């Protein structure tokens, strides 16, 4: 099966062609047009600007995919239907509906979060079930237990800010610009991660929930009290607090749910400190549990993950009507 993936939920327009033969996934084409430079001026994503940019990027991108006019080489289309910015989602969804109707191809309404999880299926070995998924992005911080393809059980989530959002907000108050994650992890390399002991909220909560808003406030209060402090030390110490919280809580969930694998995904999975601590602690404490994280280029938003999630939905004949599909900004995984 060969599937066309389309993603436009936030500030990346992306398209991919992914095929699967006997369980082997091949990424035939993957294009991503990032709007980051545009949104940087505003210090965050402006939905109206994002939607306008998707409109101007998506048709040239479709042409660049070099698909024949009747779409004969494509077996199905998978598009991100949610969650995300509704005006942005609609651009991809309307294109996917039109192509599916014109080409008479089945259409999958992919969930963006499921896409992030499936980004690791682009590599071998693939995760064994049950898999514990730590999904960390700009809008979400969640722990899921995935018992099989398409079956998720929510076991914990953030009660306030998402991990990526905490990176973005702290970067803003440190004057490091947008997006915050890459900026903080870069400057953190020059800082001392144990220079400042920031709080690690929710470690003793006894559940798998997270909270990052107090940590962000702690950074702001520290910065105001110590204007002379090194930004690199603050960034490194903040990053260490986030990485410790995510790692400790994930390992506690491994202990509780005994999964066969752990999947780290979402934009924050690009963070090296997080990858290194989580994978090394997992290997030390649970040597039989395998660790899976996407290649760095598939950790942020892309359409390969949407196509792979779509492949699995297509195998279950989980298709939608191209005439009635609507973008769902609050689409849930469970
Ligand atoms: O998954 P994603 O690209 O978009 C959403 O679905 O939200 O995630 C974007 C988030 C942003 O908050 C960004 O700051 C964060 O991922 N991020 C990182 C890193 N690279 C991106 N956070 C920490 N360290 C990074 N290296
Ligand atoms: Zn994302």
């Amino acid at each position: 099966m060969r599937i066309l993936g389309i993603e436009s939920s936030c500030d990346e327009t992306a398209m991919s062609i992914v095929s699967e033969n006997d369980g082997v996934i091949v990424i035939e084409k993957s294009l991503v047009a990032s709007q980051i430079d545009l949104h940087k001026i505003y210090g965050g994503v402006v939905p109206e600007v994002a939607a306008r940019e998707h409109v101007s990027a998506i048709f040239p991108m479709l042409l660049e995919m070099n698909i024949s006019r009747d779409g004969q080489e494509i077996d199905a289309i998978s598009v991100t239907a949610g969650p995300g910015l509704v005006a942005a989602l609609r651009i991809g969804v309307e294109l996917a509906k039109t192509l599916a109707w014109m080409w008479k191809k089945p259409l999958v309404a992919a969930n963006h979060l499921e896409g992030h999880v499936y980004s690791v299926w682009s590599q071998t070995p693939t995760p064994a079930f049950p898999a514990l998924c730590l999904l960390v992005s700009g809008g979400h911080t969640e722990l899921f237990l995935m018992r099989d393809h398409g079956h998720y059980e929510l076991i914990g989530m953030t009660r306030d800010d998402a991990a990526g959002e905490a990176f973005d907000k702290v970067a803003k108050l440190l004057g490091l610009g947008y997006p915050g994650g890459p900026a903080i992890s870069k400057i953190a390399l020059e800082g001392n991660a144990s220079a400042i002991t920031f709080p690690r909220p929710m470690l003793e909560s006894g559940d798998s929930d997270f909270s990052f808003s107090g940590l962000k406030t702690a950074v702001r209060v520290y910065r105001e009290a110590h204007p002379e402090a090194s930004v690199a030390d603050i960034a490194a110490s903040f990053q260490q607090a986030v990485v410790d919280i995510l790692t400790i809580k994930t390992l506690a969930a491994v202990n509780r749910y005994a999964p066969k694998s752990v999947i780290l995904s979402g934009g924050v999975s690009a963070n090296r400190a997080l990858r290194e601590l989580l994978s090394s602690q997992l290997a030390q404490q649970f040597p039989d549990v395998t660790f899976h994280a996407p290649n760095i280029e598939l950790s942020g938003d892309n359409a390969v993950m949407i196509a792979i999630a779509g492949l699995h939905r297509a195998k279950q004949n989980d298709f939608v009507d191209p005439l009635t599909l609507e973008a769902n900004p609050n689409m849930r995984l469970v």
Side-chain angles (χ1 to χ4, degrees), residues 135-247:
L135 181 84
V136 269
S137 70
H140 294 263
T141 296
E142 276 145 31
L143 270 169
F144 290 104
L145 196 62
M146 188 178 181
R147 295 199 185 274
D148 200 348
H149 289 292
H151 294 275
Y152 306 91
E153 205 176 296
L154 180 66
I155 63 170
M157 62 187 293
T158 181
R159 296 192 183 170
D160 40 56
D161 294 349
E165 192 180 356
F167 271 97
D168 294 337
K169 287 179 174 170
V170 166
K172 202 171 194 171
L173 69 92
L174 295 179
L176 296 173
Y178 175 86
I184 287 191
S185 53
K186 189 168 171 225
I187 198 166
L189 293 173
E190 297 153 27
N192 173 3
S194 43
I196 309 146
T197 309
F198 286 123
R200 278 136 173 86
M202 306 288 286
L203 281 192
E204 308 299 328
S205 66
D207 57 21
S208 296
D209 281 353
F210 303 92
S211 164
F212 293 106
S213 137
L215 174 58
K216 168 199 67 194
T217 307
V219 176
R220 181 166 48 74
V221 169
Y222 183 89
R223 173 94 165 133
E224 281 162 11
H226 305 86
E228 76 301 336
S230 140
V231 170
D233 283 353
I234 299 178
S237 302
F238 159 75
Q239 174 174 269
Q240 193 60 50
V242 176
V243 166
D244 282 352
I245 297 163
L246 292 172
T247 301

Side-chain angles (χ1 to χ4, degrees), residues 13-315:
T13 318
M15 246 175 244
S16 71
I17 296 176
V18 172
S19 60
E20 193 226 46
N21 286 308
D22 296 329
V24 180
I25 297 228
V26 179
I27 300 169
E28 296 186 7
K29 209 158 201 178
S30 172
L31 299 175
V32 179
S34 174
Q35 307 173 359
I36 282 177
D37 287 341
L38 195 68
H39 297 288
K40 255 184 191 156
I41 313 164
Y42 308 100
V45 178
V46 183
E48 177 58 35
V49 175
R52 222 181 308 148
E53 283 300 302
H54 286 306
V55 171
S56 43
I58 210 159
F59 287 103
M61 190 172 273
L62 178 64
L63 291 177
E64 224 182 299
M65 295 304 283
N66 247 326
I67 302 167
S68 56
R69 286 278 167 134
D70 58 1
Q72 55 170 330
E73 61 271 56
I74 302 294
D75 299 306
I77 299 167
S78 177
V79 65
T80 306
L85 305 170
V86 69
L89 285 164
R90 270 188 193 136
I91 315 302
V93 166
E94 292 307 317
L95 174 65
K97 287 162 72 174
T98 309
L99 293 177
W101 185 77
M102 270 178 18
W103 292 346
K104 300 186 173 47
K105 304 290 176 182
L107 179 62
V108 176
N111 181 305
H112 182 82
L113 306 178
E114 182 170 57
H116 275 302
V117 171
Y118 272 95
S119 61
V120 302
W121 263 267
S122 61
Q123 310 159 161
T124 49
T126 54
F129 295 123
L132 180 74
C133 311
L134 172 63
L135 181 84
V136 269
S137 70
H140 294 263
T141 296
E142 276 145 31
L143 270 169
F144 290 104
L145 196 62
M146 188 178 181
R147 295 199 185 274
D148 200 348
H149 289 292
H151 294 275
Y152 306 91
E153 205 176 296
L154 180 66
I155 63 170
M157 62 187 293
T158 181
R159 296 192 183 170
D160 40 56
D161 294 349
E165 192 180 356
F167 271 97
D168 294 337
K169 287 179 174 170
V170 166
K172 202 171 194 171
L173 69 92
L174 295 179
L176 296 173
Y178 175 86
I184 287 191
S185 53
K186 189 168 171 225
I187 198 166
L189 293 173
E190 297 153 27
N192 173 3
S194 43
I196 309 146
T197 309
F198 286 123
R200 278 136 173 86
M202 306 288 286
L203 281 192
E204 308 299 328
S205 66
D207 57 21
S208 296
D209 281 353
F210 303 92
S211 164
F212 293 106
S213 137
L215 174 58
K216 168 199 67 194
T217 307
V219 176
R220 181 166 48 74
V221 169
Y222 183 89
R223 173 94 165 133
E224 281 162 11
H226 305 86
E228 76 301 336
S230 140
V231 170
D233 283 353
I234 299 178
S237 302
F238 159 75
Q239 174 174 269
Q240 193 60 50
V242 176
V243 166
D244 282 352
I245 297 163
L246 292 172
T247 301
I248 291 169
K249 291 235 126 175
T250 304
L251 292 175
V254 171
N255 194 37
R256 200 171 308 143
Y257 296 94
K260 292 202 171 115
S261 59
V262 168
I263 300 173
L264 169 67
S265 68
V268 182
S269 72
N271 189 282
R272 283 193 189 282
L274 174 60
R275 280 176 183 242
E276 279 163 22
L277 189 69
L278 183 55
S279 61
S280 64
Q281 289 296 311
L282 187 71
Q284 238 176 57
Q285 297 179 33
F286 303 94
D288 297 335
V289 181
T290 56
F291 177 74
H292 307 260
N295 292 330
I296 296 290
E297 62 275 15
L298 292 187
S299 63
D301 291 348
N302 65 84
V304 169
M305 66 186 201
I306 300 304
I308 300 176
L311 273 170
H312 287 277
R313 292 272 162 197
K315 276 190 193 165

